């Protein structure tokens, strides 16, 4: 079964949930802000998708960081920031077991999940 990681009240998450339901795809939702699983999954997700893909630089949380935190971000610093502030992880993260999809794209979901 597909595992969907994210934050429940996120609009992008709601779009992904709707798409999965409309397409009859069963999934298990894991709220990484509440369960704290993000930190343990980050090394695997980074290896599979790349930290640059995972790090959401367009969200409100990124803007709230200090200038020092946003400067000279590399893989190690990005993983630490995402572990400390899970809202920095682009949502949703779908783990099919063989594939890791980051972000919501109906076209990508259709191509990868059907």
């Amino acid at each position: 079964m597909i595992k969907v990681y994210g934050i429940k009240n996120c609009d992008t998450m709601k779009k992904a949930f709707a798409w999965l339901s409309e397409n009859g795809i069963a999934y298990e939702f894991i709220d990484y802000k509440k369960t704290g699983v993000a930190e343990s999954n980050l090394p695997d997700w980074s290896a599979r998708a790349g930290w640059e893909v995972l790090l959401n630089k367009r969200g409100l949380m990124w803007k709230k960081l200090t200038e020092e935190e946003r400067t000279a971000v590399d893989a190690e610093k990005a993983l630490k920031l995402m572990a400390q502030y899970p809202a920095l992880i682009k949502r949703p993260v779908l783990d099919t077991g063989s594939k890791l999809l980051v972000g919501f794209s109906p076209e990508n979901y259709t191509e990868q999940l059907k």
Side-chain angles (χ1 to χ4, degrees):
M1 179 180 290
I2 294 174
K3 292 185 178 184
V4 179
Y5 296 89
I7 299 169
K8 190 168 188 95
N9 293 329
C10 169
D11 288 339
T12 306
M13 293 296 303
K14 292 174 184 174
K15 291 176 190 174
F17 293 146
W19 189 95
L20 291 166
S21 295
E22 288 167 11
N23 287 277
I25 297 173
Y27 63 90
E28 174 189 0
F29 171 63
I30 298 110
D31 187 328
Y32 54 57
K33 204 169 183 182
K34 290 184 179 174
T35 59
V37 298
E39 186 171 6
S40 61
N41 285 299
L42 281 169
D44 174 57
W45 293 351
S46 180
R48 293 168 67 194
W51 68 268
E52 299 94 336
V53 172
L54 288 169
L55 184 62
N56 183 4
K57 291 185 175 181
R58 294 182 5 191
L60 186 60
M61 189 68 236
W62 180 257
K63 294 174 182 131
K64 288 183 175 181
L65 296 178
T66 66
E67 189 63 35
E68 184 180 328
E69 288 173 314
R70 287 184 295 202
T71 304
V73 176
D74 59 9
E76 182 180 347
K77 186 173 182 180
L79 293 178
K80 284 181 182 177
L81 285 170
M82 289 185 280
Q84 185 175 358
Y85 307 109
L88 285 174
I89 302 169
K90 196 174 288 177
R91 300 176 293 273
V93 176
L94 273 70
D95 191 344
T96 68
S98 60
K99 299 175 187 172
L100 192 74
L101 308 177
V102 180
F104 175 67
S105 162
E107 300 79 16
N108 191 35
Y109 280 24
T110 298
E111 182 182 313
Q112 299 293 328
L113 300 175
K114 286 193 162 191

